[in-house]
Amino acid sequence: MQFASRLDNVETSAIRELFKLLGKPGIISFAGGFPDSAMFDVEGLKEASQKALTEEPGGALQYGATEGYEPLRTQLSSFMKTKGVDVDPSGLIVTTGSQQALDLLGKTMISPGDKVIVEGPTFLATIQCFRLYGAQLISAPIDANGVKTDELEKLIAEHKPKFVYLIPTFGNPSGAMLSLERRKKVLELAVKYQTLIVEDDPYGDLYFGEAPPPSIMSLSKDVPGSRELLAHCGSLSKVLSPGLRIGWMIAPPALLAKATMCKQFSDAHTSTFSQATAAQYLKSGRMPATLAHVREVYGQRAQAMGAALKRELGDAVSFTQPNGGLFFWARLTGANGKLADANELAKRAIEKLVAFVPGAPFFAEKPDVATLRLSFATADVAKIEEGVKRLGQAL
Amino acid sequence: MQFASRLDNVETSAIRELFKLLGKPGIISFAGGFPDSAMFDVEGLKEASQKALTEEPGGALQYGATEGYEPLRTQLSSFMKTKGVDVDPSGLIVTTGSQQALDLLGKTMISPGDKVIVEGPTFLATIQCFRLYGAQLISAPIDANGVKTDELEKLIAEHKPKFVYLIPTFGNPSGAMLSLERRKKVLELAVKYQTLIVEDDPYGDLYFGEAPPPSIMSLSKDVPGSRELLAHCGSLSKVLSPGLRIGWMIAPPALLAKATMCKQFSDAHTSTFSQATAAQYLKSGRMPATLAHVREVYGQRAQAMGAALKRELGDAVSFTQPNGGLFFWARLTGANGKLADANELAKRAIEKLVAFVPGAPFFAEKPDVATLRLSFATADVAKIEEGVKRLGQAL
């Protein structure tokens, strides 16, 4: 069977192979990119789904508009308002998880050979998703304050990309936080070079101390002309439930219309059952307590992991303590002749019954093999301490 | 904003414009392609969703395998067995509605310029979906017994298509039923020309009298080598609920693996909440009664529409009485100087407060403007009679 040529651009990820090993009994896994199931508000979602099926069974079970279920769009518009973004319900579409927003951006915007700038490192499934549409990806370097905007400007000027894709708040895998100053700079670059900026924001609500700077979308009101050059992707996956597959995209009307057409032929619409359930949940007013709960628990775990890494690995790793999100992004320093290759460490770690993800696959260009990603989301504090101890032994 | 070049191949459909007019008060619509909301087993789905959230809340709300939620794959494997198809749970993947199965086939198989043979007429969203991936579509003519296999063979030999896409059972829009003899012929053509055949089967369970011939997939056991050249798409949308967005695809392992990879970057997985609910529903044993109910009600409506069309439109239309599915496919004969242009009739019909879909957009090539599609699914018998009367007046 001869498959489409676009598949030549994408390999099955090395990470998938690693995940097959996670079933080993007794393993402590920092490898996942998912929230802790124990944190799901099951009772709230039970009530919400029953309400959806009782109050408007037709709406929850029938075909729906490709753009999204109207009551959910209204709730999401209000939710975005609490985060400083003024958007009409018609200014967003509901997507089947924010993964689909990325897919629709690829389908709508990328012709084979088009250039797209991403952070180095960035979300693995973004790299693969855009490459399937034939994108040539350019990596913009980051530090703990997110993408280096001076380097980004040079890359935009040189490559004239179709768009720039950023995860500015607690980025995956980097955990980095784009500073307020750089956010404004990104908006100025959008206008100066008339370049579309895609802000992917699945983690923005998962902060542990003070709130992060406003989203790029929220700041666009201060930079004339920038809002027309911005797309923003949101998601309920990390804060409520990934299984609902509820994401959304805010974008300029012309882009939103084309993305909606593409979505019509991708999956017609997102499950109205999921959408009606999410709408009832948001309407129920339980979201603020749910957010407070996940922030507290993940905050404790991040604290524990940071302390354990310092204690057990010392100067053999360098990292910035994340103030939100799900991940530590660390780098093996090679200090005192210790291992500096995260792939090798991953193999040894599995033998010691602890797992993490090597960082190299998260780079679209020039992989840094000394990097690794550790999730603190799904193991409790005791497991985190034990797991990091094992990691120290593996090293 | 410059969109991807693939969008140049697709127009916003004329039908979408028509659908905007359906909000007119008092209109009787035969235009939709959806089941009747009044037929949804709301109680059964309420129970199923509660059970899903009670018994395995983690599974129903967490990220899941791209291939699908294991208990649902198991249920679907059993469901297919009742229909004569022997497939292991691992031999199918769950898709976000069968629309996504089409999208994944396009993404996985079609390189720009590749040829794909479809029926003339065929499902509108298939045409657009495949064109977005750059397919050049070839139309194979049909009659009341489905695609004409002698013509199909000539087209396969001439065009060497990437695959042949068929809706053999109560096709949309044609309502046609591929005869047993032709089903076997299709399988022989697959082997003879080593051509992939895609069987889209959302309507096969919606029969009114005796069961239709076995699916092409089911018959493949009689034609050595054919199963490796077959993909089969199924759906719960027409028989249970479209809002769940539960479809599935059975295909050879290599194709299934590539489609799964593409799905990973399309939407990660189908809503586990929907999947767990559907699994519980199938497990509950309510499906046979639900099927019996929809068959009976739609059967009565089809009966009523056929009689009304004969009574009210006489020899101004020709059609074959459908024995299943949701649609009448009719042709304006122009007899007695009556109108033979369905686009024009659609406009006049809206004025008389009745709506249907002109047939021309359903043709990938050489549209027949005398054709029209009438759905009998969502109006009750009285409305059907009144609506067809209005149609007669419009004509």
Side-chain angles (χ1 to χ4, degrees), chain A residues 154-289:
Chain A
K154 278 183 217 152
L155 291 172
I156 294 175
E158 182 187 345
H159 294 289
K160 296 173 181 52
K162 208 62 181 281
F163 58 86
V164 175
Y165 169 85
L166 302 173
I167 313 173
T169 311
F170 314 127
N172 177 3
S174 70
M177 164 66 72
L178 191 65
S179 66
L180 180 61
E181 191 190 359
R182 286 188 183 174
R183 285 171 195 245
K184 288 184 181 157
K185 182 71 185 175
V186 165
L187 288 165
E188 285 159 15
L189 293 179
V191 177
K192 180 170 174 186
Y193 294 96
Q194 289 293 298
T195 299
L196 178 69
I197 307 288
V198 175
E199 175 178 47
D200 193 4
D201 189 28
Y203 306 104
D205 289 308
L206 280 184
Y207 54 86
F208 307 144
E210 60 182 312
S215 65
I216 294 180
M217 178 63 87
S218 163
L219 291 168
S220 68
K221 49 183 170 289
D222 303 331
V223 182
S226 65
R227 177 74 181 248
E228 293 72 55
L229 294 162
L230 260 186
H232 177 102
C233 308
S235 170
L236 294 182
S237 293
K238 304 306 189 288
V239 291
L240 182 61
S241 152
L244 294 175
R245 309 306 300 126
I246 300 293
W248 60 95
M249 178 163 70
I250 304 168
L255 171 52
L256 217 53
K258 294 290 186 190
T260 301
M261 187 189 74
C262 286
K263 179 169 168 64
Q264 200 188 343
F265 308 123
S266 292
D267 67 358
H269 61 86
T270 297
S271 167
T272 42
F273 183 44
S274 279
Q275 290 189 74
T277 298
Q280 289 288 355
Y281 189 87
L282 289 169
K283 201 177 143 196
S284 75
R286 294 175 78 116
M287 196 57 159

Side-chain angles (χ1 to χ4, degrees), chain A residues 61 63 103 107 238 241 243, chain B residues 6 61 63 103 107 238 243:
Chain A
L61 296 174
Y63 282 112
D103 186 57
K107 209 169 190 176
K238 304 306 189 288
S241 152
Chain B
R6 70 179 64 80
L61 296 174
Y63 282 110
D103 186 56
K107 209 170 189 174
K238 303 305 190 289

Side-chain angles (χ1 to χ4, degrees), chain A residues 44-62 64 68-73 75-76 94 236 240 244-246 269-284, chain B residues 241 243-245 271 273-274:
Chain A
L45 286 164
K46 266 190 187 172
E47 273 174 35
S49 62
Q50 292 300 287
K51 234 176 170 177
L53 287 175
T54 304
E55 288 184 7
E56 209 200 340
L61 296 174
Q62 185 56 280
Y69 181 64
E70 216 43 55
L72 179 59
R73 294 171 91 191
Q75 288 295 331
L76 291 174
V94 178
L236 294 182
L240 182 61
L244 294 175
R245 309 306 300 126
I246 300 293
H269 61 86
T270 297
S271 167
T272 42
F273 183 44
S274 279
Q275 290 189 74
T277 298
Q280 289 288 355
Y281 189 87
L282 289 169
K283 201 177 143 196
S284 75
Chain B
S241 152
L244 294 175
R245 308 306 300 127
S271 165
F273 183 45
S274 279

Side-chain angles (χ1 to χ4, degrees), chain B residues 84-96:
Chain B
V85 173
D86 197 18
V87 61
D88 196 72
S90 66
L92 62 86
I93 61 172
V94 178
T95 58
T96 306

